[in-house]
Amino acid sequence: MTKMKPYLKRAWAEVSLSQLGRNVKIIKELNSQTTGIMAVVKADAYGHGDEQVCKYLYNECGIGYFAVSNLDEAVAVRQYCPESEIFILGYTPPEYAHEIAEYNIIQGVISTEYAVRLAENTPVPMRCHVKLDTGMGRIGLKHDTPEECADEIENIMKIKNLIVEGIYTHFAVADSDTHDNIAYTDRQEKFICDTYKILENRNIKFEHLHFMNSAGTCYRNNPASTLARVGIVMYGLHPDINLEIPEGIEPVMTVKAVISHVKTVEKGDCISYGRTFTAERTMKIATVTVGYADGYSRLLSSKGEILVHGKRCKITGRVCMDQLMIDVSDVEAQAGDIVTLIGKEGDDCITADELATLYGTIGYEVVCGISKRVPRIYTGGND
């Protein structure tokens, strides 16, 4: 049997650990000395590969806190970073509470009922932070006043086998600079800070109060937050494409593919499924070895552009499962040439944020959607 090649040069993603390190350094400089970084590495580190990203952040950048979505992700991070603190942002079925405690993981608690069910399923104490819904409308304790929230938190603290170490919330519109949304985030921030102060006045002090996400870290850094849960900006993307991010923060991922075939088509020839593209002149068309099964969305059909020798070439017709076609009439191109789907080439750059705007999504979805069959190749990490 022929052995599989470790790296098939078809479509691949290059992940710059050096750039990740530079981004982290800039983010650290944004924070006050009282605020640490909790690196958000859920969804396979936003598609960048959680093992390599976590190990680099842990060993080279001094990051000791990680946030994940679920227990499987948490156990994986525990293997990569044995002495780190790992926080589950999302829901864990209560019957797995004993595993949370066994792996020394911190669970987000979203209600008293949930706290009771978790405690019933672990014979040993389990660490947790209590979530407040201050305006996201998703999960967490929901009350009209901080006093009522403080009361419920006190009751949760009385539940046997739960160790409450912090409280937290999540901003809904910290990535918006409109007057109304700034005021909305102000209210969210004030509510949780007031809740924390009430608990302090009752001689209850937690190790952590955290509410800053990537947008909060970039645009409204507050030293009252002991942790900044940094996700998308750490990978070099914008929390919102309309707002600038700190200078020096750049995308970590570049996605490349190869031209497999170049041909000339005549006026009237159709390209790809559905005959949605018909040549209006003689054209030179290149086939590229990437498609929607690789995470390059079909919604980019006849919209997206790809860099060939630093020059933008437009997609012609529909993106197929494994291939797509581009117009290379104005550039020298041949089979075997490497092209750039996301990233810099020459003097130009195509970002995940740019692709997202073409079909009405966000950069988060673009990088998270790069499929598992696209190998991640890691570069740098020593500078």
Side-chain angles (χ1 to χ4, degrees), residues 214-377:
S214 284
T217 301
C218 288
Y219 311 126
R220 49 181 306 132
N221 200 282
N222 186 334
S225 186
T226 61
L227 294 167
R229 300 189 306 268
V230 182
I232 198 67
V233 74
M234 183 174 69
Y235 305 104
L237 278 71
H238 292 68
D240 185 287
I241 190 62
N242 296 310
L243 295 178
E244 294 296 324
I245 55 177
E247 185 177 356
I249 291 181
E250 299 287 346
V252 172
M253 179 188 289
T254 298
V255 180
K256 297 183 178 181
V258 172
I259 291 176
S260 63
H261 182 63
V262 179
K263 62 182 174 294
T264 299
V265 301
E266 303 298 335
K267 180 179 179 179
D269 286 349
C270 298
I271 296 172
S272 199
Y273 290 110
R275 297 175 59 206
T276 60
F277 183 91
T278 302
E280 297 181 350
R281 56 182 172 82
T282 300
M283 302 174 67
K284 189 167 63 170
I285 301 295
T287 300
V288 178
T289 55
V290 70
Y292 60 77
D294 301 293
Y296 194 83
S297 177
R298 190 170 182 267
L299 294 171
L300 291 166
S301 299
S302 294
K303 291 182 181 179
E305 295 176 322
I306 291 175
L307 294 174
V308 181
H309 302 309
K311 185 177 179 62
R312 287 179 178 245
C313 296
K314 192 165 184 178
I315 294 172
T316 56
R318 288 181 179 167
V319 175
C320 307
M321 182 180 286
D322 313 303
Q323 303 172 85
L324 57 81
M325 281 63 75
I326 55 175
D327 178 6
V328 292
S329 301
D330 299 324
V331 64
E332 291 296 324
Q334 60 184 356
D337 284 352
I338 295 172
V339 301
T340 301
L341 290 80
I342 299 174
K344 292 181 179 178
E345 187 176 302
D347 296 327
D348 207 344
C349 179
I350 296 174
T351 66
D353 290 322
E354 176 186 335
L355 295 184
T357 62
L358 290 176
Y359 61 100
T361 187
I362 53 178
Y364 300 66
E365 184 176 351
V366 173
V367 290
C368 288
I370 303 300
S371 76
K372 289 289 189 182
R373 80 174 187 178
V374 177
R376 273 58 169 175
I377 311 301

Side-chain angles (χ1 to χ4, degrees), residues 112 115-116 119-120 154-163:
T112 299
V116 169
E120 289 173 346
E154 273 204 81
N155 288 331
I156 289 172
M157 292 178 65
K158 296 173 185 176
I159 298 172
K160 184 180 178 181
N161 279 347
L162 284 190
I163 304 172

